[in-house]
Coordinates of all heavy atoms in Angstrom, one line a residue:
I28 N 1.5 8.9 9.6 CA 0.6 8.0 10.3 C 0.4 8.5 11.8 O -0.7 8.3 12.3 CB 1.1 6.6 10.2 CG1 1.1 6.1 8.8 CG2 0.3 5.6 11.1 CD1 2.0 4.9 8.5
E29 N 1.4 9.1 12.4 CA 1.2 9.6 13.7 C 0.1 10.6 13.8 O -0.5 10.8 14.9 CB 2.5 10.3 14.2 CG 3.6 9.3 14.6 CD 4.9 10.0 14.9 OE1 4.9 11.2 15.3 OE2 6.0 9.4 14.8
Y30 N -0.2 11.2 12.7 CA -1.3 12.2 12.7 C -2.6 11.7 12.1 O -3.4 12.5 11.5 CB -0.8 13.5 12.0 CG 0.3 14.2 12.7 CD1 1.6 13.9 12.4 CD2 0.0 15.1 13.7 CE1 2.7 14.5 13.1 CE2 1.0 15.7 14.4 CZ 2.4 15.4 14.1 OH 3.4 16.0 14.8
K31 N -2.8 10.4 12.1 CA -3.9 9.8 11.4 C -5.3 10.3 11.9 O -6.2 10.3 11.1 CB -3.9 8.3 11.5 CG -4.0 7.7 12.9 CD -4.1 6.1 12.7 CE -4.2 5.5 14.1 NZ -2.9 5.3 14.7
E32 N -5.4 10.8 13.1 CA -6.6 11.4 13.6 C -7.0 12.6 12.8 O -8.1 12.8 12.4 CB -6.5 11.8 15.1 CG -6.2 10.6 16.0 CD -7.1 9.4 15.9 OE1 -8.3 9.6 15.7 OE2 -6.6 8.3 16.0
E33 N -6.0 13.4 12.4 CA -6.3 14.6 11.6 C -6.3 14.3 10.1 O -7.1 14.9 9.4 CB -5.2 15.7 11.9 CG -5.1 16.3 13.3 CD -4.2 15.5 14.2 OE1 -3.0 15.8 14.1 OE2 -4.6 14.6 14.9
N34 N -5.4 13.5 9.6 CA -5.3 13.3 8.2 C -6.0 12.0 7.6 O -6.0 11.8 6.4 CB -3.8 13.4 7.7 CG -3.0 12.2 8.4 OD1 -3.5 11.2 8.7 ND2 -1.7 12.5 8.5
R35 N -6.5 11.2 8.5 CA -7.2 10.0 8.2 C -6.3 9.0 7.4 O -6.8 8.2 6.6 CB -8.5 10.2 7.4 CG -9.5 11.0 8.2 CD -10.9 11.0 7.6 NE -11.0 11.6 6.3 CZ -11.0 12.9 6.0 NH1 -10.9 13.7 7.0 NH2 -11.0 13.3 4.8
M36 N -5.0 9.1 7.6 CA -4.0 8.2 6.9 C -3.5 7.2 7.9 O -2.5 7.5 8.6 CB -2.9 9.0 6.2 CG -3.3 9.9 5.0 SD -4.1 8.9 3.7 CE -2.6 8.1 2.9
S37 N -4.2 6.1 8.0 CA -3.7 5.0 8.8 C -2.6 4.2 8.1 O -2.3 4.5 6.9 CB -4.9 4.0 9.1 OG -5.3 3.4 7.9
V38 N -2.0 3.3 8.8 CA -1.0 2.5 8.2 C -1.6 1.8 6.9 O -0.9 1.8 5.9 CB -0.5 1.4 9.2 CG1 0.4 0.4 8.5 CG2 0.2 2.0 10.4
Q39 N -2.8 1.3 7.0 CA -3.4 0.6 5.9 C -3.6 1.6 4.7 O -3.3 1.2 3.6 CB -4.8 0.1 6.3 CG -4.7 -1.1 7.3 CD -4.6 -0.7 8.7 OE1 -4.5 0.5 9.1 NE2 -4.5 -1.7 9.6
S40 N -4.1 2.8 5.0 CA -4.3 3.8 3.9 C -3.0 4.1 3.2 O -3.0 4.1 2.0 CB -4.9 5.1 4.5 OG -5.8 4.9 5.4
V41 N -2.0 4.3 4.0 CA -0.6 4.6 3.4 C -0.2 3.5 2.5 O 0.3 3.6 1.4 CB 0.4 5.0 4.5 CG1 1.8 5.1 3.9 CG2 0.0 6.3 5.2
A42 N -0.4 2.2 3.1 CA 0.1 1.0 2.3 C -0.7 0.9 1.0 O -0.1 0.5 0.0 CB -0.1 -0.2 3.2
I43 N -2.0 1.2 1.0 CA -2.8 1.1 -0.2 C -2.3 2.1 -1.2 O -2.3 1.8 -2.4 CB -4.3 1.3 0.2 CG1 -4.8 0.1 0.9 CG2 -5.1 1.6 -1.1 CD1 -6.2 0.3 1.6
V44 N -2.0 3.3 -0.7 CA -1.5 4.4 -1.7 C -0.1 4.1 -2.2 O 0.1 4.2 -3.4 CB -1.5 5.7 -0.9 CG1 -0.8 6.8 -1.8 CG2 -2.9 6.2 -0.6
F45 N 0.8 3.6 -1.3 CA 2.2 3.4 -1.8 C 2.6 2.0 -2.2 O 3.6 1.8 -2.9 CB 3.1 4.0 -0.7 CG 3.3 5.4 -0.7 CD1 2.5 6.3 0.1 CD2 4.2 6.0 -1.6 CE1 2.6 7.6 0.0 CE2 4.3 7.4 -1.6 CZ 3.5 8.2 -0.8
G46 N 1.8 1.0 -1.8 CA 2.2 -0.4 -2.1 C 2.5 -0.6 -3.6 O 3.6 -1.0 -3.9
P47 N 1.5 -0.3 -4.5 CA 1.7 -0.6 -5.9 C 2.8 0.3 -6.5 O 3.3 0.0 -7.6 CB 0.4 -0.3 -6.5 CG -0.6 -0.2 -5.4 CD 0.2 0.1 -4.2
T48 N 3.1 1.5 -5.9 CA 4.0 2.4 -6.4 C 5.5 2.0 -6.1 O 6.4 2.2 -6.9 CB 3.7 3.8 -5.8 OG1 2.4 4.2 -6.1 CG2 4.7 4.9 -6.4
L49 N 5.7 1.5 -4.9 CA 7.0 1.2 -4.5 C 7.5 -0.2 -4.8 O 8.7 -0.5 -4.9 CB 7.1 1.4 -2.9 CG 6.8 2.8 -2.4 CD1 6.9 2.9 -0.9 CD2 7.7 3.8 -3.1
L50 N 6.5 -1.1 -5.0 CA 6.8 -2.5 -5.4 C 6.0 -2.9 -6.5 O 4.7 -2.9 -6.4 CB 6.4 -3.5 -4.3 CG 7.1 -3.7 -3.0 CD1 6.3 -3.0 -1.9 CD2 7.2 -5.2 -2.6
R51 N 6.6 -3.3 -7.6 CA 5.8 -3.8 -8.7 C 6.6 -4.8 -9.5 O 7.8 -4.7 -9.6 CB 5.2 -2.7 -9.6 CG 6.1 -1.7 -10.1 CD 5.4 -0.7 -11.0 NE 6.4 0.0 -11.8 CZ 7.1 1.1 -11.3 NH1 6.8 1.6 -10.1 NH2 8.0 1.7 -12.1
P52 N 6.0 -5.8 -10.0 CA 6.7 -6.8 -10.8 C 7.2 -6.3 -12.1 O 6.7 -5.3 -12.6 CB 5.6 -7.9 -11.0 CG 4.3 -7.3 -10.9 CD 4.5 -6.1 -10.0
A53 N 8.2 -6.9 -12.7 CA 8.8 -6.4 -13.9 C 7.8 -6.4 -15.1 O 7.7 -5.4 -15.8 CB 10.1 -7.2 -14.3
G54 N 7.1 -7.5 -15.2 CA 6.1 -7.6 -16.2 C 4.7 -7.3 -15.6 O 4.5 -7.7 -14.5
E55 N 3.9 -6.6 -16.3 CA 2.5 -6.4 -15.8 C 1.7 -7.6 -16.0 O 0.8 -7.7 -16.8 CB 1.9 -5.2 -16.5 CG 2.6 -3.9 -16.3 CD 2.6 -3.4 -14.8 OE1 1.5 -3.4 -14.2 OE2 3.7 -3.1 -14.3
E56 N 2.0 -8.6 -15.1 CA 1.3 -9.9 -15.4 C -0.2 -9.9 -14.9 O -0.6 -8.9 -14.3 CB 2.0 -11.1 -14.7 CG 2.3 -10.9 -13.3 CD 3.7 -10.6 -12.9 OE1 4.2 -9.7 -13.4 OE2 4.3 -11.4 -12.1
A57 N -0.9 -10.9 -15.3 CA -2.3 -11.0 -15.1 C -2.8 -11.0 -13.6 O -3.8 -10.5 -13.3 CB -2.9 -12.2 -15.8
N58 N -1.9 -11.5 -12.8 CA -2.4 -11.6 -11.4 C -2.0 -10.4 -10.5 O -1.6 -10.5 -9.4 CB -1.8 -12.9 -10.7 CG -0.3 -13.0 -11.0 OD1 0.3 -12.2 -11.6 ND2 0.4 -14.0 -10.4
M59 N -2.3 -9.2 -11.1 CA -2.0 -8.0 -10.5 C -2.8 -7.8 -9.2 O -2.3 -7.4 -8.2 CB -2.4 -6.8 -11.4 CG -1.2 -6.3 -12.3 SD 0.4 -6.2 -11.4 CE 0.1 -4.6 -10.6
A60 N -4.1 -8.2 -9.2 CA -5.0 -8.1 -8.0 C -4.5 -8.9 -6.9 O -4.5 -8.5 -5.7 CB -6.4 -8.5 -8.4
M61 N -4.0 -10.1 -7.2 CA -3.4 -11.0 -6.2 C -2.1 -10.3 -5.6 O -2.0 -10.3 -4.4 CB -3.1 -12.3 -6.8 CG -2.6 -13.3 -5.7 SD -1.6 -14.6 -6.5 CE 0.0 -13.8 -6.6
H62 N -1.3 -9.8 -6.4 CA -0.1 -9.1 -6.0 C -0.4 -7.9 -5.1 O 0.3 -7.7 -4.1 CB 0.8 -8.6 -7.1 CG 1.6 -9.7 -7.7 ND1 2.3 -10.6 -7.0 CD2 1.9 -9.9 -9.0 CE1 3.0 -11.4 -7.8 NE2 2.8 -11.0 -9.0
M63 N -1.4 -7.2 -5.5 CA -1.8 -5.9 -4.8 C -1.9 -6.1 -3.3 O -1.3 -5.3 -2.5 CB -3.1 -5.4 -5.3 CG -3.4 -4.0 -5.0 SD -2.5 -3.0 -6.3 CE -3.9 -2.5 -7.3
V64 N -2.6 -7.2 -2.9 CA -2.7 -7.4 -1.4 C -1.4 -7.6 -0.8 O -1.1 -7.0 0.3 CB -3.5 -8.8 -1.2 CG1 -3.6 -9.1 0.2 CG2 -4.9 -8.6 -1.8
F65 N -0.5 -8.3 -1.4 CA 0.8 -8.6 -0.8 C 1.7 -7.3 -0.9 O 2.5 -7.1 0.0 CB 1.5 -9.8 -1.5 CG 0.7 -11.1 -1.2 CD1 0.1 -11.7 -2.3 CD2 0.6 -11.5 0.1 CE1 -0.6 -12.9 -2.0 CE2 -0.1 -12.7 0.3 CZ -0.7 -13.4 -0.7
Q66 N 1.6 -6.6 -2.0 CA 2.4 -5.3 -2.1 C 2.1 -4.4 -0.9 O 2.9 -3.9 -0.3 CB 2.1 -4.6 -3.4 CG 2.7 -5.3 -4.6 CD 2.0 -4.8 -5.9 OE1 0.9 -5.2 -6.2 NE2 2.6 -4.0 -6.7
N67 N 0.8 -4.3 -0.7 CA 0.3 -3.4 0.4 C 0.8 -4.0 1.8 O 1.2 -3.2 2.7 CB -1.2 -3.3 0.4 CG -1.7 -2.6 -0.9 OD1 -0.9 -2.1 -1.7 ND2 -3.0 -2.6 -1.1
Q68 N 0.7 -5.3 1.9 CA 1.2 -5.9 3.2 C 2.7 -5.7 3.4 O 3.1 -5.5 4.6 CB 0.9 -7.4 3.2 CG -0.6 -7.7 3.4 CD -0.9 -9.2 3.4 OE1 0.0 -10.1 3.2 NE2 -2.1 -9.6 3.5
V69 N 3.5 -5.7 2.4 CA 4.9 -5.4 2.5 C 5.1 -4.0 3.1 O 5.8 -3.8 4.1 CB 5.7 -5.6 1.2 CG1 7.1 -5.2 1.3 CG2 5.6 -7.1 0.8
V70 N 4.4 -3.0 2.5 CA 4.6 -1.7 2.9 C 4.1 -1.5 4.3 O 4.7 -0.9 5.2 CB 3.9 -0.7 1.9 CG1 3.8 0.7 2.5 CG2 4.5 -0.7 0.5
E71 N 2.9 -2.1 4.6 CA 2.4 -2.0 5.9 C 3.3 -2.6 7.0 O 3.6 -2.0 8.0 CB 1.1 -2.8 6.0 CG 0.1 -2.4 7.1 CD -1.2 -3.1 6.9 OE1 -1.8 -3.2 5.8 OE2 -1.7 -3.6 7.9

């Protein structure tokens, strides 16, 4: 993120990429879209 000027990876971008990968619920429940926002917020 320190190099976001060169790599265009802001905190938000990194969170969007890694949120769903690092945190996910045990069951793939229906409210995935709702979780997504919070997963990203946790990483951010």
Side-chain angles (χ1 to χ4, degrees):
I28 293 159
E29 282 174 24
Y30 295 93
K31 64 174 178 276
E32 301 309 320
E33 293 93 83
N34 62 26
R35 298 195 299 284
M36 288 303 283
S37 64
V38 174
Q39 291 83 358
S40 319
V41 170
I43 288 166
V44 170
F45 279 94
T48 304
L49 302 179
L50 288 100
R51 52 182 196 274
E55 296 298 311
E56 57 253 56
N58 48 359
M59 273 312 284
M61 187 205 80
H62 277 318
M63 200 82 103
V64 175
F65 296 115
Q66 285 160 288
N67 298 351
Q68 282 178 4
V69 170
V70 171
E71 202 173 314

